Amino acid sequence: MKICVMGLGYVGVVSAGCLAQSGHEIVGIDPEQVKVDLINAGKSPIVEKDIGGIVKEQVASGRLRAATDLAAAGHNSDLFLVCVGTPSQGNGGIDLTHVRNVCEQIGAALRRHDAAPVVVMRSTMLPGTIREVVIPLLETHSGKHAGIDFGVCINPEFLREGSAVDDYYHPPKTVIGEIGPASGDVLAKLYADMPGPLIRTDIETAEMVKYADNCWHALKVGFANEIGNICKGLGVDGHSVMDIFCQDTKLNISPYYLKPGFAFGGSCLPKDLRALLYKAKMLDLSLPILDAILPSNRQQIERGVQAVVAKGQKKVGILGFSFKAGTDDLRESPVVELTERLLGKGYDLRIYDRNVSIASIRGANRNYILNHIPHISRLMVPSVADVLGHARTIIIGNAATEFHDVPNHLEYGQNIIDFVRICDTRSVAGVYEGICW
């Protein structure tokens, strides 16, 4: 495949060298003459393990060359791979100057192109950038239509400095955000032999994935440092603690707890977080990441309240009262907090949870209901049907399997606010609202 790599920085050089090594014909484009001259001399313009030898070999083979002028060097490419920088602005936004310039150049090349090449963005860009900036510029400067006369994809990179070549050939995943299947098919051919999952999705999801990844990595570093700081204050070896922590691949290093939804609750997470933060204060330690977790959790409860208020319906039903399906544990259940808030605002509530009934509960939960929330216990009804017969707005509070069929039993004018995603759908105005999807 003939591929034009736009931008010979870190990502561009690694991508160009590895693609050439895979047998493709590569031309790299960069406005800096020094970078172009280095590539054409068989030298890498970046310092990175293994890439110097790859560039030297591929230039010698004739599969890799560089130029400053796209019009002369890249207009017959099958694929344009955009790897230009998107640096931060002073206000935290991203500077799209390089992206805009490249899109104008590619647009002009597309105007003269006889086929339907695919433009692939590897640059990190916020969701909406491709549809709002990239595609309009390509169409304006080419006089052609995206998805018809040329394809558009985003293909975020997951390369770490110091191991970029190995990461290129052994990616944790390959993500293709495509404007249509034809665009994605062309790009997918590049990765046919790559290990790891190949995920094809919509443009905006693929744009967001890179930000989710990098924010998670930043959070992990900060979290580990804060645990290390309090460990040091306690005279505990933080490395030993985190070594043990990372051996748990069922809960700690896993998909568990990483699904958007409602606030956390229960007998462990809030209590233990407060205890650790209290101990940190005793040690005069500041733990801003850990300290922000409970306020963030409270904000999610507030989002739930505001979602109900926005519906404008006073008759509300709650399906699922315990903090998690399959348990009767009401301790620090966020749904209890939500219920208290709605009662305070004058809402007419009905509540159902198979596992939460005074007749079957023993011990701490029975005492909690009778002595702390007796006014709520009087609102509990014996079936889902009783809730549906009363409420205009139905809240799905936990993921009990008996709630999964509820959307199929709504009457006209009823709507669902879902805290746990009982069905695989996005929010639909007036009918179904996911709390954060």
Side-chain angles (χ1 to χ4, degrees):
M1 195 180 297
K2 293 182 177 180
I3 301 173
C4 181
V5 176
M6 306 294 295
L8 293 175
Y10 192 85
V11 174
V13 170
V14 172
S15 298
C18 292
L19 284 167
Q21 187 165 249
S22 298
H24 301 284
E25 183 180 330
I26 309 298
V27 57
I29 304 297
D30 197 284
E32 292 189 29
Q33 188 67 52
V34 172
K35 291 183 180 179
V36 169
D37 291 343
L38 283 170
I39 291 286
N40 288 333
K43 299 178 181 178
S44 172
I46 65 168
V47 176
E48 173 63 33
K49 183 177 181 291
D50 298 328
I51 196 62
I54 291 173
V55 168
K56 181 179 180 180
E57 292 172 3
Q58 298 312 310
V59 169
S61 73
R63 285 191 293 268
L64 174 62
R65 62 188 178 90
T68 58
D69 186 4
L70 173 60
H75 66 278
N76 287 321
S77 295
D78 303 307
L79 190 146
F80 295 90
L81 200 65
V82 178
C83 302
V84 298
T86 53
S88 285
Q89 295 178 317
N91 62 2
I94 59 173
D95 185 347
L96 295 175
T97 300
H98 301 308
V99 171
R100 293 177 185 275
N101 289 341
V102 164
C103 287
E104 292 174 3
Q105 295 174 49
I106 295 174
L110 291 174
R111 184 180 292 273
R112 301 186 298 273
H113 209 294
D114 296 329
V118 178
V119 180
V120 180
M121 309 302 293
R122 295 215 88 188
S123 303
T124 303
M125 297 180 293
L126 289 166
T129 305
I130 286 186
R131 293 196 194 275
E132 297 168 11
V133 177
V134 171
I135 290 176
L137 281 171
L138 292 173
E139 291 183 332
T140 297
H141 290 272
S142 68
K144 296 182 177 181
H145 300 287
I148 299 174
D149 303 308
F150 61 91
V152 178
C153 291
I154 181 166
N155 177 215
E157 49 81 19
F158 305 102
L159 307 178
R160 297 168 296 173
E161 294 189 29
S163 60
V165 172
D166 185 69
D167 288 343
Y168 180 91
Y169 286 115
H170 303 91
K173 58 184 175 293
T174 299
V175 179
I176 297 174
E178 56 196 40
I179 196 174
S183 300
D185 288 346
V186 174
L187 182 55
K189 292 177 182 178
L190 289 185
Y191 304 115
D193 298 323
M194 289 289 190
L198 172 63
I199 302 111
R200 293 174 63 172
T201 185
D202 61 90
I203 292 286
E204 288 77 14
T205 298
E207 286 174 312
M208 187 63 198
V209 162
K210 181 63 180 291
Y211 285 95
D213 279 29
N214 281 352
C215 289
W216 175 235
H217 299 328
L219 178 61
K220 287 192 291 185
V221 172
F223 173 80
N225 287 342
E226 289 195 1
I227 293 297
N229 290 337
I230 194 167
C231 283
K232 183 176 181 179
L234 293 168
V236 176
D237 187 340
H239 277 247
S240 294
V241 170
M242 292 308 294
D243 284 345
I244 295 170
F245 173 95
C246 291
Q247 290 184 52
D248 180 352
T249 58
K250 181 177 181 180
L251 298 179
N252 291 347
I253 312 298
S254 76
Y256 280 92
Y257 309 119
L258 285 174
K259 290 287 188 182
F262 199 40
F264 62 77
S267 60
C268 296
L269 301 189
K271 174 181 71 70
D272 292 348
L273 186 54
R274 282 194 296 265
L276 195 63
L277 290 170
Y278 173 78
K279 190 64 178 181
K281 289 179 182 178
M282 298 288 288
L283 296 169
D284 290 327
L285 287 172
S286 174
L287 305 178
I289 293 175
L290 295 178
D291 204 36
I293 295 173
L294 287 172
S296 174
N297 204 51
R298 288 193 292 270
Q299 284 188 15
Q300 199 68 349
I301 296 174
E302 178 62 24
R303 286 188 180 92
V305 173
Q306 292 306 315
V308 175
V309 171
K311 298 302 179 186
Q313 303 283 354
K314 281 298 183 179
K315 292 187 174 183
V316 174
I318 298 175
L319 298 176
F321 198 47
S322 59
F323 86 99
K324 184 169 66 172
T327 177
D328 61 0
D329 196 347
L330 297 176
R331 287 173 290 180
E332 302 210 40
S333 168
V335 182
V336 172
E337 173 66 20
L338 175 98
T339 303
E340 295 273 20
R341 296 278 300 277
L342 293 177
L343 283 174
K345 292 178 178 291
Y347 283 85
D348 183 6
L349 302 180
R350 297 292 184 275
I351 303 165
Y352 168 76
D353 190 313
R354 182 189 299 275
N355 295 308
V356 181
S357 68
I358 295 177
S360 63
I361 290 179
R362 299 293 182 269
N365 275 326
R366 178 181 176 85
N367 177 69
Y368 182 80
I369 288 181
L370 293 176
N371 297 308
H372 294 274
I373 55 170
H375 53 300
I376 293 180
S377 69
R378 290 192 292 269
L379 302 175
M380 299 188 71
V381 294
S383 71
V384 173
D386 290 313
V387 170
L388 297 182
H390 166 79
R392 309 312 292 164
T393 294
I394 296 99
I395 298 168
I396 308 296
N398 66 38
T401 55
E402 62 185 313
F403 303 151
H404 289 192
D405 197 42
V406 167
N408 297 323
H409 296 284
L410 297 187
E411 297 178 354
Y412 178 78
Q414 287 184 311
N415 62 85
I416 287 177
I417 299 174
D418 188 357
F419 291 167
V420 295
R421 200 161 197 173
I422 57 167
C423 53
D424 188 20
T425 185
R426 298 277 293 278
S427 295
V428 179
V431 179
Y432 173 89
E433 180 178 349
I435 189 169
C436 48
W437 54 87

